[in-house]
Amino acid sequence: MAGRSVARQAGPGGVPEVVVMRLPQYIRVLSSLMAQGVNIVSSQRLGEILQVTPAQIRKDLSYFGRFGKQGRGYRVRHLIMELKEIMGLDRRWNVVLVGVGRLGRAVLSYPGFAPEGFHVVAAFDADRRIIGRTVGNLKVQPVEELDETVMERGIGIGIVGVPGPHAQGVVDRLVGAGVKAILNYAPIAAQAPDGVKVRNVDPVLALQTMTFYLLGEDDEA
Amino acid sequence: MAGRSVARQAGPGGVPEVVVMRLPQYIRVLSSLMAQGVNIVSSQRLGEILQVTPAQIRKDLSYFGRFGKQGRGYRVRHLIMELKEIMGLDRRWNVVLVGVGRLGRAVLSYPGFAPEGFHVVAAFDADRRIIGRTVGNLKVQPVEELDETVMERGIGIGIVGVPGPHAQGVVDRLVGAGVKAILNYAPIAAQAPDGVKVRNVDPVLALQTMTFYLLGEDDEA
């Protein structure tokens, strides 16, 4: 399949991270266009929806080879398939969760992961009162078993669901176990060595960046 | 109090949004330093922790007046208090949630909001099967009551917890009700008019920006 060879050519090294950050959004927009029955889309139209320039879109896609012909637009279904394969989004990813307290349980109850191919297959905690309990169909394992589970199952993604003070330690532990991608829900800017990606999910920080604009607005507080 | 007058001087108009985005992270780092017993911190040290240059930190803070003396460092507790007041983080913010399905309930179960002063005080849904139920101490109201509740209670912040296809409509509805800050959990890039801030919480998108780097890694998939 063309996508596979294209994906091989484009090693992570050669692609700027900003581009990698944008492609999943391209896939989303393309998927919603396909759902609306759109078969062909121009970089112009894509740019309008994504609020980037058409030139930027063509440049981003050029890292992975040629898609669509100049002035002919992109075949939506084909581009989705190619981009999903390039990004590794055409497959199932098993994920481990560390921290099954209130935050971790909220993460487990999040309904968005499985439909997109991300499956939490093991959950760990250091709290003896939680270990052995079944939460969301998972039997909580002692964190001491993390390395073994990650290695045995070849798991590359970890979710950090522990409180802030313990989060960096858990990140270090996931890195030590061989995890290369970490989704951190703790309210800290987690640090990881080169070669390990970390993304922070931080709804409180997001709220805290908006309240400044509400000052002076009427509020009951 | 100095902070109040400083805050008054610095209207939202005059401060770049990138600065507003950084300040809550400054507050966080300063708070953790204070918890460690640090009373004075240099812009050098702050910069190392925040991975920005000391000059950037001084420039960011300069929008709100002078903090600390050249070469003397910042008084941690004082700076936290001033920044919290400037950012509106020294007070309680009431929040409405629209969407109390699986996603909205996951949002309600998130333990991080209340300790930081964000309180979900009303929840709305369009689904007759959910309306009237009590979820997390809130009686789910019909979405038709959104405008009245937002206006009566002078609420400035709304959380979107509905599925993607309904999210933009809910954003528009919140904007119509007078909400000026929106936290969107639906997997869409929600659009809002000038004067309304939107932040997207999107853990799936975050995961999707990392899988590219896992390709070639061993994985059971």
Side-chain angles (χ1 to χ4, degrees):
Chain A
M1 196 172 150
R4 177 157 283 109
S5 58
V6 170
R8 281 227 196 80
Q9 290 160 30
V15 184
E17 185 152 16
V18 289
V19 176
V20 175
M21 298 290 281
R22 278 194 288 263
L23 290 191
Q25 305 180 43
Y26 290 11
I27 294 171
R28 264 206 199 151
V29 166
L30 289 161
S31 300
S32 86
L33 287 171
M34 188 168 75
Q36 297 162 39
V38 177
N39 297 319
I40 303 284
V41 66
S42 64
S43 50
Q44 186 70 43
R45 176 76 185 117
L46 262 186
E48 287 162 10
I49 302 171
L50 288 155
Q51 298 174 305
V52 301
T53 67
Q56 185 65 67
I57 288 171
R58 288 190 294 267
K59 185 165 187 294
D60 287 354
L61 295 179
S62 70
Y63 285 100
F64 308 98
R66 284 190 60 76
F67 299 95
K69 297 195 183 63
Q70 194 65 40
R72 291 277 300 280
Y74 302 105
R75 285 178 296 143
V76 174
R77 176 184 298 276
H78 172 76
L79 185 53
I80 292 170
M81 284 173 49
E82 293 270 316
L83 292 181
K84 280 191 169 181
E85 184 174 17
I86 289 168
M87 296 294 288
L89 299 176
D90 58 343
R91 57 194 288 182
R92 173 194 173 103
W93 293 97
N94 287 352
V95 177
V96 292
L97 169 68
V98 181
V100 196
R102 292 178 66 204
L103 179 55
R105 286 196 298 274
V107 172
L108 277 175
S109 70
Y110 181 73
F113 292 129
E116 296 296 328
F118 297 97
H119 299 267
V120 179
V121 296
F124 300 85
D125 206 286
D127 185 341
R128 298 287 154 199
R129 293 164 300 179
I130 297 178
I131 293 165
R133 284 205 205 157
T134 299
V135 181
N137 305 326
L138 296 175
K139 189 173 182 189
V140 180
Q141 299 173 240
V143 72
E144 291 75 16
E145 295 179 9
L146 179 64
D147 292 42
E148 187 184 359
T149 301
V150 166
M151 254 172 280
E152 272 181 357
R153 306 193 63 170
I155 292 171
I157 304 174
I159 298 180
V160 177
V162 298
H166 300 104
Q168 186 60 55
V170 166
V171 168
D172 298 342
R173 192 149 195 164
L174 284 164
V175 170
V179 164
K180 293 285 190 292
I182 295 173
L183 189 64
N184 170 44
Y185 277 80
I188 65 156
Q191 308 298 313
D194 291 349
V196 178
K197 297 294 174 186
V198 178
R199 305 283 185 247
N200 298 296
V201 180
D202 203 330
V204 168
L205 192 66
L207 287 172
Q208 291 175 328
T209 63
M210 295 191 286
T211 49
F212 178 68
Y213 300 99
L214 299 176
L215 297 175
E217 302 280 340
D218 286 329
D219 188 85
E220 80 299 338
Chain B
M1 192 174 153
R4 175 160 284 109
S5 59
V6 170
R8 283 228 194 78
Q9 289 162 32
V15 183
E17 184 153 16
V18 289
V19 176
V20 174
M21 299 290 281
R22 278 193 289 262
L23 290 192
Q25 304 181 43
Y26 290 10
I27 294 170
R28 260 203 203 155
V29 167
L30 289 161
S31 300
S32 86
L33 287 171
M34 188 168 73
Q36 296 161 40
V38 177
N39 297 319
I40 303 284
V41 66
S42 64
S43 51
Q44 186 70 42
R45 176 76 184 116
L46 262 186
E48 287 164 8
I49 301 171
L50 287 155
Q51 298 175 306
V52 302
T53 67
Q56 184 65 68
I57 287 171
R58 288 190 294 268
K59 185 167 188 296
D60 287 356
L61 295 179
S62 69
Y63 285 100
F64 307 98
R66 286 189 58 76
F67 299 95
K69 298 194 183 65
Q70 192 66 41
R72 292 278 298 281
Y74 301 105
R75 285 179 294 144
V76 174
R77 178 185 297 274
H78 173 74
L79 186 53
I80 292 170
M81 283 172 49
E82 292 271 318
L83 292 181
K84 280 191 170 180
E85 184 176 16
I86 289 167
M87 296 295 287
L89 299 176
D90 57 345
R91 58 193 287 183
R92 171 193 173 104
W93 292 97
N94 286 351
V95 177
V96 292
L97 168 68
V98 180
V100 195
R102 293 178 63 203
L103 179 55
R105 286 196 298 273
V107 172
L108 277 176
S109 70
Y110 180 73
F113 292 128
E116 296 297 328
F118 297 98
H119 299 267
V120 179
V121 296
F124 301 85
D125 207 286
D127 185 341
R128 298 289 154 199
R129 294 165 300 179
I130 297 178
I131 292 165
R133 282 204 205 160
T134 300
V135 181
N137 306 327
L138 296 175
K139 189 172 183 190
V140 179
Q141 300 173 241
V143 72
E144 291 74 17
E145 295 178 10
L146 179 64
D147 292 41
E148 188 184 357
T149 302
V150 166
M151 255 169 278
E152 273 180 357
R153 306 194 62 170
I155 292 171
I157 304 174
I159 298 179
V160 177
V162 298
H166 300 103
Q168 186 60 56
V170 167
V171 168
D172 299 341
R173 192 148 196 166
L174 284 165
V175 171
V179 164
K180 293 285 189 293
I182 295 172
L183 189 64
N184 170 44
Y185 277 81
I188 66 157
Q191 308 298 314
D194 292 348
V196 177
K197 297 294 174 185
V198 179
R199 307 282 185 247
N200 298 295
V201 180
D202 202 331
V204 168
L205 192 66
L207 287 171
Q208 291 175 328
T209 64
M210 295 192 286
T211 49
F212 178 69
Y213 299 100
L214 299 176
L215 297 174
E217 302 281 339
D218 287 328
D219 188 87
E220 80 300 337

